[in-house]
Amino acid sequence: MKVKMLSRNPDTYVRETKLDLQKVPRNYDPTLHPFEVPREYVRALNATKLERVFAKPFLASLDGHRDGVNCLAKHPKSLATVLSGACDGEVKIWNLSQRKCIRTIQAHEGFVRGICTRFCGTSFFTTVYTGIDHHWKEPLFATCGQQVDIWDEQKTNPICSMTWGFDSISSVKFNPIETFLLGSCASDRNIVLYDMRQATPLKKVILDMRTNTICWNPMEAFIFTAANEDYNLYTFDMRALDTPVMVHMDHVSAVLDVDYSPTGKEFVSASFDKSIRIFPVARSQSREVYHTKRMQHVICVKWTSDNKYIMCGSDEMNIRLWKANASEKLGVLTSREKAAKDYNQKLKEKFQHYPHIKRISRHRHLPKSIYSQIQEQRIMKEARRRKEVNRLKHSKPGSVSIVSKKKKHIVAVVK
Amino acid sequence: MTASRAAKSVLALSQQEELVDLPEDCPLNVSEDEEDSDGERKHQKLLETISSLDGKNRHKVAERSEASLKVSEFNVSAEGSGEKLVLADLLEPVKTSSSLSLATVKKQLNRVKSKKTVELPLHKEEIERIHREVAFNKTSQVLSKWDPIVLKNRQAKQLVFPLEKEQSAFAPIEHVLSGWTARTPLEQEVFNLLHKNKQPVTDPLLTPMEKASLKAMSLEEAKMRRAELQRARALQSYYEARARREKKIKSKRYHKIVKKEKAKRALKAFEQLRKVNPAAALEELKKIEKARMMERMSLKHQNSGKWAKSKAIMAKYDLEARQAMQEQLAKNKELTQKLQVASESEEEERGAEETEELLVPDVVNEVQMNPDGPNPWMLRSCTRDIKEAEAHEDPEELPDPVAHEVSESEGDERPVAEEEILLKEVEERRSLRRRSELSQDAEPVGSQETKDSSSQEVLSELRALSQKFKKNHQSRKPKASSVSTGHQVQREEPALEEEEPLLLQRSKRVQTVEELEELEKEECSQNQEFLRPGLKGQQLERNPNNLPNAPKEKKKKEQMIDLQNLLSTKSPSVKSLAVPTTLEEMDDEEERDQKQMIKEAFAGDDVIRDFLKEKRESMEASKPKDVDLTLPGWGEWGGMGLKPSTKKRRRFLIKAPEGPPRKDKNLPNVIINEKRNIHAAAHQVQVLPYPFTHHSQFERTIQTPIGSTWNTQRAFQKLTTPKVVTKPGHIIKPIKPEDVGYRSSSRSDLSVMQRNPKRLSASHKKQLKKNSVD
């Protein structure tokens, strides 16, 4: 008689070291595991709640300036180095890892309006003009005032100056990918694009209100975002300026600065309403809002080049350091932690449309002023919309044209 | 004044008319500026123009009446009012001078005339606008090369930043080793060895010997060497290709031939070796013996492998499988057969021819070997072949033994009892004979004749045995209903035996007369087929490919019968039941359809009642139900027709509490469904979210779990890959054309700008000039 023995391979149930997890053989037959959706739903709910629990984005405040911080600049080679210029003409160089000021330079008598670093990181430029930006590859930089001037580092006169109209230009930015392109915004409500090689302006778009600054997307050569006085941000495709790709609206006061994340998927905006917001490029609503009690009007904001942190300089002389992802755990993660993080992230994404989860994940505490202003503006917007609808309803068909929300804020595009 | 006014009006009129013909002509403007000195002349002209209004001499040239020092700039052109200057007029004086030059001049003038006048330069702003537009189009084109990349990145499932790949620089091993010293004893040992053999550790990787040889070789030598190497390589590749080709050949026959050839060659080699160097031959033999031992130890060819097991299952149905199994077994026997090497005491004196006989394996001994050569190698490798060879050589002589032999070999597998007994007899006789031979043949027997005679003896014995076999089978025939005699039966013994019970069963089942008849017929035919003894059997033997046909046919027929049987027995009852009912149903349906149609036509009447009924039903359904917990037979008599007492029923009936009043209680025309659970609704999606176009899509995404509880590790990892991955502490630079495989522009922006001097600013130009002057 043949006796059949049950035998198991120890490899299937013995762990290699005692630090390993116990091996649990598992049958993945779906009929054996009912309630998968409810279980995942609960997990997603818990993940969302935990995300809110751990959302502590504020990291540090760098103080030392004796006047409002007017401009910030990242170091192109070192993640820990940041430069800031204040309204009293002082420039400070900070070390972020030590959270200390390394050096202080009295650069100007008046405002330091603009500051930029050279692509190699050896030197930086400050200006009393309204704006300055350095070329991404060559020893050139651009300033703006009454016109856009391109300077050679070695020469005392600009090698090229471009102008269109006679208004003072508030900001000029080089395109980081196609480096010969420049964008500028002037106080007569327009945004002008320039081609440095052909030494000519390309196109001008006039908006409802003044644009404070623009920022190019570092991953998509033709996309830029403009921070406008009308509380909105406009993302444009450079080739089709008549309709913005997206209108981002959540701020309740003028937007003063904008900076893209180095991945080009999101950007951060600083506003006069004492808060900074993070927007996904493809969405009109912000994903995150940061504020503290003591932070005043935020004048400048920068996203660090490792995509982890955000810095903002504000009126009350401080530079603040935030996490770009509020609930992210800092430091090195073990593989299990990483797996859990990824899984939770996917769960949150999967169940994001469920009302309960949506409510929790969208919940933010806001200062009273911002909160009330949001309410107020909602009412105003609703009233405007109602009026428009009524007008459309009660007028002769065809006499009132419907303008899309995106196009509403564009006054004209000048060739 | 009035007159002048009238004149003016006339003038205006005339001007209009003039303008019709001569648009460039505007002589009459003169009249407007009133200068005293020209007053009279103007008047004169006026009169002239008035007179010319009648149309006859309109184009009369106004001539200057008197020369004046002061020629008004307004007057000059006015004088030639109606005329255009024609080039030909100017040339008239030239005509007289020289005809040849005149012609050329005329040509040139014509050419000049054909050219249009240069248009006015555009307005500066206009020019700039055009410049801008052109530049914009150009830059848009440049930018549109990024479109596919942007699209790809937006849709990418995962993006890993920083985008640029860090080039892993391949440092040669020598460089890596240069900063490394042997520390552990093992390393030191290895290094010692290397150093002893003068193996190079660092660059260049050549031993001193190699270096020397390299140096020593002259150019011609090197060339020759190279050519040799090349030839060798070519040959090698050729042989490789050939081997590959041969390996691919599927023909079994071919391989058989090849094997045979190999065996022959080996044999020859062995014989030669034996002659030349007997010690080496012995060595060879030992090797063979060792191989045999190995084979015995191993489970190869033991019918225990996966393949063999599968074949064993198939053997019942497939003749080829059976054959394959047999072959394997035979091989096993062949390989494990102990070769009785002529080292035993009795055989030592005798010649090789006799030893050969003893070397023949027991099982195959029934047919005498053809003693080609007295070597064991041959015997080992060719035992099977010899059998066949024998059969081919004299089939007429030995029809029965051959058949018997085969049957015997079959018997190895599935021994039938009787056959076994017979086999034993054979064995006994054979052993007896051998003993007698051994004893009789004292003198060396090398001739074939004696051999043949002995084989004849054996054959006769075998014949007798086979006769017995036949008898046996014939006696068995009446027992089994469909079994036929013949050699084939022996071959198919196992299969038939298994089929017998089936057949018997069927015969029980079969009840109709017709079927019985059919069966009989079939049996007859089978008998006819299989009753051919002797010759046919041999033929079949010789080409075994024929064999499978017979049993197959038989099986097929049986199957057909089965099917028919089933059909004939079952079908009528089914029909008798099914047909009329279906017909009735059809009728019913038709009537109902008609009724339905009528109902539909007058449907308006019943709607309200229907609705009320529906509402009542829904109310009933939503009412909480009473729970009856009475157990019949508990505490009292129970059984058929006995109901639990009313008292007990009342006691164990739990009345449901009356729920809250329905919302549609007072709304006669409304049914409000109260099934919706508001607590659950908080966890349900109300509206289909944006990217989804159909609710089923959304449901599907929700219903596929992503956790590791429901997925394997790999699937889990795949499902949870994050969209954007950034490496901590790495600076992410803006995308570059090189990152995505584009060529970045060779010219820098600065150089392009400097090549474009017209666009430089005025101050810069000045500076440039200064520089050049200095």
Side-chain angles (χ1 to χ4, degrees):
Chain A
M1 197 184 97
K2 198 177 179 184
V3 180
K4 283 187 178 174
M5 300 280 284
L6 270 182
S7 71
R8 285 206 292 167
N9 185 357
D11 286 347
T12 55
Y13 58 90
V14 174
R15 51 185 177 169
E16 283 172 10
T17 68
K18 67 175 180 184
L19 297 174
D20 267 344
L21 287 178
Q22 291 286 3
K23 278 184 179 173
V24 184
R26 190 159 182 81
N27 191 343
Y28 292 107
D29 183 3
T31 53
L32 299 178
H33 304 285
F35 300 119
E36 9 181 64
V37 179
R39 284 176 77 184
E40 286 219 316
Y41 174 74
V42 170
R43 284 180 195 180
L45 194 61
N46 288 341
T48 320
K49 284 176 181 170
L50 284 178
E51 185 205 309
R52 289 333 301 157
V53 167
F54 291 123
K56 306 238 179 285
F58 182 68
L59 286 177
S61 153
L62 311 174
D63 51 345
H65 273 299
R66 285 170 292 185
D67 208 335
V69 182
N70 204 33
C71 48
L72 279 171
K74 295 181 271 188
H75 193 279
K77 299 277 175 186
S78 151
L79 278 173
T81 313
V82 175
L83 299 98
S84 64
C87 293
D88 59 351
E90 210 175 44
V91 171
K92 275 182 185 281
I93 304 173
W94 304 88
N95 188 324
L96 283 186
S97 50
Q98 293 169 355
R99 291 163 193 182
K100 262 189 204 162
C101 174
I102 303 170
R103 227 180 132 186
T104 310
I105 301 154
Q106 187 64 41
H108 301 287
E109 290 296 315
F111 279 33
V112 183
R113 301 253 186 211
I115 187 167
C116 66
T117 49
R118 200 170 187 271
F119 55 90
C120 58
T122 51
S123 50
F124 67 91
F125 302 81
T126 58
T127 182
V128 287
Y129 282 108
T130 50
I132 187 169
D133 196 22
H134 201 281
H135 193 277
W136 287 83
K137 281 174 189 162
E138 280 152 52
L140 298 169
F141 62 91
T143 58
C144 58
Q146 291 304 107
Q147 64 204 16
V148 172
D149 290 321
I150 311 261
W151 303 73
D152 194 326
E153 281 175 8
Q154 307 299 325
K155 289 173 183 162
T156 49
N157 288 317
I159 56 169
C160 172
S161 42
M162 295 171 287
T163 177
W164 189 356
F166 301 99
D167 262 290
S168 67
I169 297 165
S170 59
S171 156
V172 63
K173 288 279 164 71
F174 272 105
N175 187 325
I177 306 167
E178 294 295 347
T179 47
F180 58 87
L181 274 176
L182 290 125
S184 78
C185 42
S187 56
D188 63 345
R189 305 175 299 158
N190 59 29
I191 300 168
V192 187
L193 302 170
Y194 303 92
D195 186 336
M196 190 181 79
R197 281 184 180 182
Q198 297 173 66
T200 169
L202 298 173
K203 227 170 201 184
K204 174 153 74 171
V205 58
I206 303 170
L207 297 163
D208 263 347
M209 290 180 88
R210 195 174 88 109
T211 301
N212 282 318
T213 180
I214 68 164
C215 185
W216 293 92
N217 190 327
M219 290 293 152
E220 298 171 4
F222 40 79
I223 300 285
F224 68 88
T225 299
N228 204 288
E229 285 277 326
D230 64 356
Y231 314 167
N232 294 339
L233 292 119
Y234 299 94
T235 299
F236 283 99
D237 184 333
M238 200 211 101
R239 298 164 298 176
L241 289 172
D242 51 345
T243 321
V245 178
M246 190 56 76
V247 182
H248 311 270
M249 32 192 166
D250 257 353
H251 280 297
V252 288
S253 190
V255 189
L256 298 181
D257 199 8
V258 59
D259 192 35
Y260 263 94
S261 82
T263 59
K265 301 274 177 201
E266 288 174 325
F267 60 80
V268 60
S269 63
S271 168
F272 197 74
D273 63 8
K274 305 175 187 176
S275 70
I276 58 177
R277 280 180 187 267
I278 301 171
F279 292 87
V281 175
R283 283 181 50 199
S284 73
Q285 303 294 315
S286 64
R287 141 176 105 73
E288 196 69 76
V289 55
Y290 294 158
H291 58 86
T292 59
K293 221 172 205 174
R294 296 185 181 186
M295 189 162 75
Q296 296 302 309
H297 315 300
V298 193
I299 298 171
C300 50
V301 70
K302 279 274 182 276
W303 200 311
T304 58
S305 12
D306 60 348
N307 197 31
K308 283 249 156 147
Y309 308 103
I310 287 166
M311 294 167 303
C312 65
S314 47
D315 249 358
E316 89 307 328
M317 305 180 269
N318 277 330
I319 299 166
R320 288 192 170 77
L321 189 66
W322 307 84
K323 283 194 271 186
N325 210 342
S327 58
E328 192 184 32
K329 193 182 174 194
L330 293 180
V332 181
L333 297 180
T334 63
S335 57
R336 282 173 61 200
E337 277 176 321
K338 220 179 276 173
K341 190 192 82 183
D342 292 345
Y343 179 45
N344 283 341
Q345 190 58 40
K346 272 280 140 91
L347 280 179
K348 278 183 260 173
E349 256 170 53
K350 186 181 168 187
F351 290 97
Q352 65 185 333
H353 305 292
Y354 280 69
H356 209 54
I357 289 175
K358 198 197 262 175
R359 188 183 61 76
I360 294 169
S361 67
R362 279 185 57 209
H363 179 83
R364 296 285 182 285
H365 174 257
L366 285 173
K368 199 175 179 187
S369 61
I370 295 180
Y371 184 76
S372 57
Q373 260 178 311
I374 287 174
Q375 301 299 329
E376 197 178 304
Q377 271 169 24
R378 188 177 297 154
I379 293 164
M380 284 159 70
K381 210 179 274 177
E382 176 56 27
R384 252 179 250 138
R385 194 194 61 81
R386 203 168 50 232
K387 185 169 186 182
E388 213 163 87
V389 169
N390 285 342
R391 185 177 288 154
L392 192 68
K393 215 187 327 184
H394 297 296
S395 56
K396 194 177 154 192
S399 61
V400 178
S401 58
I402 308 162
V403 184
S404 73
K405 256 185 198 171
K406 281 181 185 174
K407 279 196 175 174
K408 207 181 278 174
H409 306 281
I410 307 295
V411 174
V413 178
V414 187
K415 284 179 181 174
Chain B
M1 283 307 285
T2 50
S4 70
R5 215 177 276 161
K8 264 185 190 172
S9 67
V10 171
L11 266 178
L13 223 167
S14 71
Q15 199 177 357
Q16 273 180 357
E17 281 189 359
E18 291 278 319
L19 277 172
V20 172
D21 290 350
L22 311 162
E24 291 141 85
D25 189 10
C26 45
L28 302 173
N29 290 344
V30 180
S31 63
E32 262 138 18
D33 55 90
E34 325 243 330
E35 282 183 44
D36 298 352
S37 60
D38 295 336
E40 276 187 8
R41 198 162 51 83
K42 273 181 192 164
H43 187 68
Q44 184 67 33
K45 227 172 71 181
L46 177 67
L47 287 177
E48 277 172 13
T49 44
I50 290 166
S51 64
S52 71
L53 275 177
D54 58 6
K56 275 188 180 175
N57 43 1
R58 252 187 174 184
H59 304 290
K60 199 184 173 190
V61 183
E63 277 179 277
R64 210 179 264 175
S65 55
E66 60 182 285
S68 65
L69 275 173
K70 194 185 174 191
V71 181
S72 163
E73 55 176 353
F74 302 104
N75 288 349
V76 173
S77 61
E79 298 311 314
S81 61
E83 283 289 310
K84 258 189 177 177
L85 192 62
V86 185
L87 278 169
D89 300 341
L90 291 173
L91 288 174
E92 267 175 24
V94 190
K95 252 181 205 172
T96 51
S97 60
S98 67
S99 58
L100 204 144
S101 64
L102 179 74
T104 54
V105 170
K106 254 189 179 174
K107 262 185 196 169
Q108 283 172 352
L109 280 171
N110 275 334
R111 217 176 295 149
V112 168
K113 210 168 71 180
S114 65
K115 274 183 188 163
K116 289 272 169 65
T117 49
V118 180
E119 277 177 29
L120 267 179
L122 283 172
H123 199 259
K124 191 190 165 196
E125 279 177 9
E126 195 81 346
I127 291 169
E128 277 185 353
R129 198 176 66 83
I130 290 163
H131 271 300
R132 283 197 299 259
E133 229 163 288
V134 169
F136 179 77
N137 288 339
K138 215 170 160 186
T139 35
S140 326
Q141 263 184 355
V142 170
L143 286 174
S144 56
K145 83 173 175 191
W146 288 97
D147 270 334
I149 288 150
V150 167
L151 197 70
K152 201 186 89 192
N153 282 354
R154 278 181 192 169
Q155 291 170 345
K157 283 202 174 149
Q158 188 176 41
L159 277 179
V160 180
F161 292 102
L163 285 176
E164 68 260 33
K165 308 278 177 299
E166 279 171 31
Q167 258 114 36
S168 51
F170 288 109
I173 193 75
E174 306 88 51
H175 293 296
V176 179
L177 279 177
S178 62
W180 183 79
T181 49
R183 276 187 215 123
T184 62
L186 177 69
E187 284 168 1
Q188 277 162 356
E189 209 170 304
V190 169
F191 265 72
N192 274 340
L193 273 175
L194 284 175
H195 285 306
K196 238 182 236 170
N197 296 333
K198 289 183 181 171
Q199 277 291 329
V201 181
T202 54
D203 189 44
L205 285 166
L206 288 172
T207 55
M209 290 274 283
E210 282 170 332
K211 266 187 215 165
S213 70
L214 267 182
K215 273 178 192 168
M217 221 185 281
S218 72
L219 185 66
E220 279 174 28
E221 261 179 83
K223 268 184 183 172
M224 277 188 28
R225 175 92 188 277
R226 196 160 139 264
E228 236 170 70
L229 278 174
Q230 266 179 346
R231 208 184 310 133
R233 224 173 293 139
L235 269 176
Q236 193 188 351
S237 65
Y238 164 72
Y239 278 115
E240 269 172 12
R242 194 176 144 190
R244 229 173 283 141
R245 221 185 311 126
E246 279 172 359
K247 203 180 161 190
K248 267 187 191 169
I249 296 172
K250 282 181 184 168
S251 158
K252 282 182 182 171
R253 208 184 125 126
Y254 167 80
H255 282 292
K256 221 177 260 174
I257 291 164
V258 168
K259 250 186 229 169
K260 259 186 202 170
E261 228 166 76
K262 256 190 202 168
K264 257 183 203 170
R265 226 178 293 140
L267 201 65
K268 259 184 198 169
F270 182 75
E271 275 199 27
Q272 270 199 341
L273 199 68
R274 209 162 55 96
K275 275 172 196 163
V276 178
N277 189 1
L282 215 69
E283 200 97 321
E284 277 287 296
L285 265 179
K286 266 183 194 166
K287 260 188 208 167
I288 292 160
E289 177 65 14
K290 195 174 179 190
R292 184 190 66 79
M293 269 151 52
M294 293 294 281
E295 176 63 25
R296 269 182 75 93
M297 279 196 290
S298 78
L299 287 174
K300 262 188 200 171
H301 308 109
Q302 297 266 350
N303 268 1
S304 59
K306 219 186 253 177
W307 173 84
K309 275 175 189 167
S310 71
K311 284 285 164 192
I313 291 163
M314 288 302 293
K316 252 185 249 174
Y317 314 104
D318 191 3
L319 199 93
E320 277 182 40
R322 226 176 298 156
Q323 277 180 338
M325 273 185 67
Q326 281 166 27
E327 261 172 48
Q328 207 202 13
L329 274 174
K331 184 128 197 173
N332 180 34
K333 260 169 205 159
E334 218 172 86
L335 290 169
T336 52
Q337 203 60 52
K338 175 130 188 173
L339 294 174
Q340 295 173 341
V341 188
S343 60
E344 284 155 48
S345 56
E346 312 131 30
E347 266 95 46
E348 274 180 359
E349 304 96 28
R350 253 170 248 151
E353 284 85 355
E354 270 136 308
T355 59
E356 174 262 323
E357 268 215 356
L358 288 171
L359 290 176
V360 175
D362 290 10
V363 185
V364 222
N365 259 354
E366 64 264 69
V367 182
Q368 283 298 313
M369 290 298 131
N370 206 356
D372 274 346
N375 77 74
W377 181 278
M378 175 78 172
L379 294 176
R380 270 195 83 234
S381 62
C382 305
T383 40
R384 277 191 63 79
D385 297 352
I386 282 163
K387 269 192 244 167
E388 282 164 20
E390 277 279 315
H392 281 284
E393 269 170 23
D394 40 11
E396 283 86 8
E397 263 189 32
L398 320 162
D400 295 355
V402 174
H404 173 234
E405 168 203 325
V406 174
S407 71
E408 198 186 51
S409 64
E410 289 286 317
D412 286 346
E413 252 189 313
R414 298 169 172 278
V416 185
E418 295 150 343
E419 284 175 2
E420 264 187 346
I421 295 160
L422 284 170
L423 276 176
K424 271 180 192 169
E425 280 183 23
V426 173
E427 293 278 318
E428 280 172 9
R429 288 188 190 196
R430 204 181 293 147
S431 56
L432 270 173
R433 184 180 52 80
R434 202 183 298 152
R435 261 175 245 145
S436 65
E437 267 185 4
L438 284 173
S439 57
Q440 280 168 13
D441 299 357
E443 15 102 54
V445 185
S447 64
Q448 277 207 326
E449 292 159 6
T450 50
K451 282 260 151 166
D452 280 354
S453 65
S454 64
S455 70
Q456 290 284 332
E457 279 176 26
V458 177
L459 286 176
S460 61
E461 279 175 9
L462 283 173
R463 222 172 273 157
L465 274 171
S466 69
Q467 290 290 336
K468 272 191 185 176
F469 250 111
K470 267 187 192 174
K471 273 178 196 167
N472 256 332
H473 281 291
Q474 273 163 357
S475 66
R476 257 197 340 188
K477 187 191 168 188
K479 286 180 206 163
S481 60
S482 68
V483 177
S484 63
T485 55
H487 306 273
Q488 289 74 27
V489 180
Q490 288 173 24
R491 280 194 147 264
E492 293 149 17
E493 200 62 51
L496 272 177
E497 272 183 349
E498 289 212 351
E499 276 162 25
E500 270 174 88
L502 275 176
L503 286 171
L504 285 169
Q505 275 180 14
R506 207 201 308 120
S507 67
K508 275 177 203 165
R509 255 188 260 142
V510 172
Q511 283 161 4
T512 57
V513 184
E514 301 161 356
E515 277 166 13
L516 267 175
E517 280 174 6
E518 272 184 16
L519 202 73
E520 278 173 7
K521 272 181 200 169
E522 188 197 287
E523 280 173 11
C524 286
S525 66
Q526 278 175 14
N527 287 346
Q528 277 166 9
E529 275 182 17
F530 293 117
L531 270 171
R532 299 269 171 81
L535 275 170
K536 204 179 177 184
Q538 285 162 29
Q539 282 169 5
L540 285 169
E541 285 251 321
R542 252 174 259 160
N543 40 358
N545 292 342
N546 281 352
L547 276 170
N549 294 338
K552 266 185 194 169
E553 274 178 17
K554 195 178 160 192
K555 274 181 196 170
K556 262 185 198 170
K557 273 185 183 171
E558 281 164 12
Q559 276 177 356
M560 279 173 69
I561 291 161
D562 262 339
L563 281 171
Q564 279 176 357
N565 187 8
L566 282 170
L567 282 173
S568 60
T569 49
K570 279 190 181 174
S571 57
S573 64
V574 170
K575 268 181 191 172
S576 62
L577 277 171
V579 171
T581 49
T582 49
L583 280 171
E584 278 172 11
E585 276 175 9
M586 289 285 281
D587 287 344
D588 272 9
E589 266 181 43
E590 276 180 9
E591 277 178 33
R592 222 178 284 157
D593 274 358
Q594 277 187 336
K595 277 181 187 172
Q596 199 75 28
M597 278 178 68
I598 293 162
K599 260 189 192 173
E600 275 174 9
F602 304 98
D605 301 347
D606 270 1
V607 170
I608 293 163
R609 206 189 302 157
D610 282 351
F611 177 78
L612 286 176
K613 198 180 160 194
E614 204 178 309
K615 186 168 181 181
R616 213 177 305 132
E617 275 170 4
S618 72
M619 280 170 80
E620 285 297 315
S622 68
K623 257 185 194 168
K625 306 271 183 309
D626 296 349
V627 185
D628 190 4
L629 292 174
T630 42
L631 290 169
W634 190 256
E636 60 189 2
W637 288 107
M640 288 282 279
L642 283 175
K643 279 183 182 173
S645 64
T646 47
K647 187 185 160 194
K648 199 181 175 195
R649 252 190 287 169
R650 216 180 298 137
R651 197 183 152 196
F652 284 104
L653 188 77
I654 297 171
K655 279 203 171 177
E658 218 165 89
R662 280 180 68 90
K663 280 179 189 165
D664 54 0
K665 200 174 123 193
N666 298 323
L667 302 167
N669 299 334
V670 181
I671 301 174
I672 295 174
N673 190 352
E674 287 177 356
K675 272 180 188 167
R676 188 168 175 269
N677 187 353
I678 42 165
H679 298 295
H683 299 281
Q684 281 169 343
V685 180
Q686 305 297 328
V687 192
L688 187 68
Y690 157 62
F692 302 101
T693 50
H694 196 259
H695 66 88
S696 63
Q697 273 180 3
F698 179 63
E699 276 162 18
R700 226 177 300 137
T701 54
I702 292 299
Q703 255 147 25
T704 45
I706 50 175
S708 56
T709 324
W710 303 278
N711 292 299
T712 58
Q713 190 61 24
R714 287 296 290 278
F716 171 66
Q717 277 171 357
K718 257 184 203 169
L719 285 169
T720 56
T721 44
K723 269 205 158 180
V724 175
V725 176
T726 52
K727 291 178 191 162
H730 281 251
I731 292 176
I732 302 166
K733 282 180 183 157
I735 196 167
K736 273 181 255 165
E738 302 96 82
D739 294 343
V740 289
Y742 285 145
R743 206 159 46 82
S744 59
S745 62
S746 53
R747 290 183 300 170
S748 68
D749 296 342
L750 185 60
S751 67
V752 173
M753 280 181 74
Q754 278 166 351
R755 214 169 289 175
N756 204 5
K758 62 167 184 178
R759 290 271 152 194
L760 293 176
S761 64
S763 59
H764 193 62
K765 266 185 208 165
K766 266 180 212 165
Q767 205 187 9
L768 276 178
K769 263 184 199 172
K770 257 187 209 169
N771 287 345
S772 63
V773 167
D774 296 341

